[in-house]
């Protein structure tokens, strides 16, 4: 599939998806969101791809926000539809994706950019990264899951402060908050993301997929996360990965999972 606003590269089981609008600091417009949606549809059916890394093109930004010019004159209904469509087709899809998704934050991650990073399963940042949700300074609130995912990651009080003051925090503070998992230099960011992806791929991708589902179940209304864990734990016993993993452990060798 051909893309105009993103780059999609695949190598050794890892897909690197780069938001590629560097002149616009990789701001998200409708076309870019549509391409991200289509890319994840492609990655979902590609059995060769095990882990996805999302990053931004250029040296300044991961994603510096949404393209405000596209919705500056929206009505109430149009605004609701914008958020609902974006959440369903992109942000929630990434959060619930069955393959691990890592955000490699290589600069500004603001507004929709931070929401995109928070939708990933975890985040790695370069030491020059800046993060924030500045929407209230524009008279609006985060609409792509920011009011829900930020408190889950950093706690309610810090999320309230970040959203109310509309400011930015640096990578060091983001690490202290638990917003990102690791901080490294800009030069080493993609190398660390790649090493992390390869480390993940040494394990059972079937088990990882079910673990993602169980972890996310805790955030679903009317779903008991413990029940989903029990269910998916039981399902694991009927897989080739479980047979290989336990046999390797008992035989004191490294597992060679059949899904690789």
């Amino acid at each position: 599939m051909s893309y105009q606003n993103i780059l999609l590269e695949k190598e050794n089981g890892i897909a690197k998806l780069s938001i590629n609008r560097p002149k616009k600091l990789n701001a998200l417009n409708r076309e870019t969101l549509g391409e991200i949606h289509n890319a994840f549809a492609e990655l979902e059916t590609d059995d060769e791809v095990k882990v996805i890394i999302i990053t931004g093109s250029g040296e300044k930004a991961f994603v510096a926000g949404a393209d405000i010019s596209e919705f500056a004159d929206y009505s109430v209904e149009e605004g609701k539809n914008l958020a609902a469509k974006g959440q369903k087709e992109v942000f929630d899809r990434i959060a619930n994706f069955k393959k691990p998704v890592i955000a490699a934050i290589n600069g500004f991650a603001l507004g929709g950019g931070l929401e995109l990073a928070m939708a990933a399963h975890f985040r790695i940042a370069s030491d020059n990264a800046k993060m924030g949700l500045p929407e209230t300074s524009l008279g609006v609130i985060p609409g792509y899951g920011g009011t829900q995912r930020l408190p889950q990651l950093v706690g309610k009080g810090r999320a309230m402060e970040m959203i109310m003051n509309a400011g930015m925090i640096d990578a060091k503070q983001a690490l202290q908050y638990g917003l990102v998992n690791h901080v490294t230099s800009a030069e080493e960011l993609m190398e660390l993301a790649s090493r992390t992806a390869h480390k993940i791929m040494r394990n059972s991708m079937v088990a990882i997929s079910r673990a993602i589902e169980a972890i996310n179940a805790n955030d679903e209304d009317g779903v008991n996360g413990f029940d989903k864990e029990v269910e998916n734990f039981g399902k694991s016993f009927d897989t080739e990965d479980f047979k290989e993993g336990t046999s390797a452990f008992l035989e004191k060798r490294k597992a060679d999972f059949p899904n690789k």
Side-chain angles (χ1 to χ4, degrees):
M1 189 176 292
S2 177
Y3 300 107
Q4 303 300 314
N5 298 285
I6 66 172
L7 300 173
L8 188 60
E9 306 165 84
K10 304 174 186 178
E11 185 177 3
N12 298 325
I14 301 172
K16 177 185 173 185
L17 191 161
S18 303
I19 313 303
N20 188 36
R21 303 182 73 213
K23 292 183 179 179
K24 296 286 187 178
L25 295 180
N26 302 324
L28 298 175
N29 59 3
R30 286 191 296 267
E31 187 176 353
T32 304
L33 288 170
E35 290 189 7
I36 296 171
H37 169 78
N38 291 337
F40 271 87
E42 175 184 339
L43 294 169
E44 188 172 27
T45 59
D46 190 335
D47 293 337
E48 296 298 314
V49 172
K50 309 300 179 186
V51 181
I52 298 92
I53 299 171
I54 303 177
T55 194
S57 293
E59 299 178 354
K60 293 183 178 180
F62 173 76
V63 170
D67 195 331
I68 298 166
S69 62
E70 283 195 342
F71 61 82
D73 59 351
Y74 270 21
S75 67
V76 170
E77 200 61 33
E78 287 172 322
K80 287 172 63 176
N81 290 337
L82 175 72
K85 180 179 172 69
Q87 287 191 29
K88 179 180 179 181
E89 295 188 356
V90 178
F91 297 84
D92 288 351
R93 182 178 189 136
I94 292 171
N96 294 297
F97 205 62
K98 293 185 177 181
K99 301 177 183 182
V101 181
I102 304 168
I105 304 172
N106 58 312
F108 290 108
L110 304 174
L114 181 56
E115 289 172 305
L116 181 64
M118 289 192 294
H121 297 135
F122 60 92
R123 289 143 295 283
I124 299 171
S126 58
D127 53 17
N128 66 329
K130 305 281 187 181
M131 288 157 258
L133 295 176
E135 285 89 346
T136 58
S137 69
L138 302 174
V140 70
I141 72 169
Y144 289 142
T147 64
Q148 305 304 300
R149 293 194 175 99
L150 187 61
Q152 292 169 0
L153 291 166
V154 307
K156 184 177 178 180
R158 282 172 171 161
M160 286 281 194
E161 181 182 14
M162 287 180 65
I163 291 170
M164 289 178 185
N165 70 26
M168 293 185 290
I169 61 173
D170 60 21
K172 182 179 179 181
Q173 195 167 7
L175 183 63
Q176 293 172 341
Y177 280 10
L179 183 54
V180 301
N181 294 56
H182 306 283
V183 174
T184 187
S185 67
E187 295 77 16
E188 295 177 344
L189 177 64
M190 292 311 301
E191 181 183 347
L192 176 57
S194 180
R195 285 202 314 268
T196 303
H198 281 292
K199 186 175 182 179
I200 289 170
M201 290 192 302
R202 294 203 295 263
N203 302 310
S204 164
M205 302 309 298
V206 173
I208 286 172
S209 175
R210 288 184 175 158
I212 290 170
E213 184 182 28
I215 292 167
N216 284 340
N218 188 57
D219 301 325
E220 297 180 32
D221 289 337
V223 177
N224 186 310
F226 289 101
D227 289 345
K228 178 59 69 174
E229 179 182 285
V230 168
E231 177 187 345
N232 284 7
F233 178 77
K235 287 179 179 179
S236 301
F237 284 75
D238 191 34
T239 64
E240 291 299 316
D241 282 32
F242 174 73
K243 295 173 185 176
E244 168 60 18
T246 52
S247 295
F249 177 81
L250 294 171
E251 295 166 11
K252 295 180 171 53
R253 60 176 175 82
K254 290 185 178 180
D256 183 18
F257 291 110
N259 59 9
K260 297 182 179 179

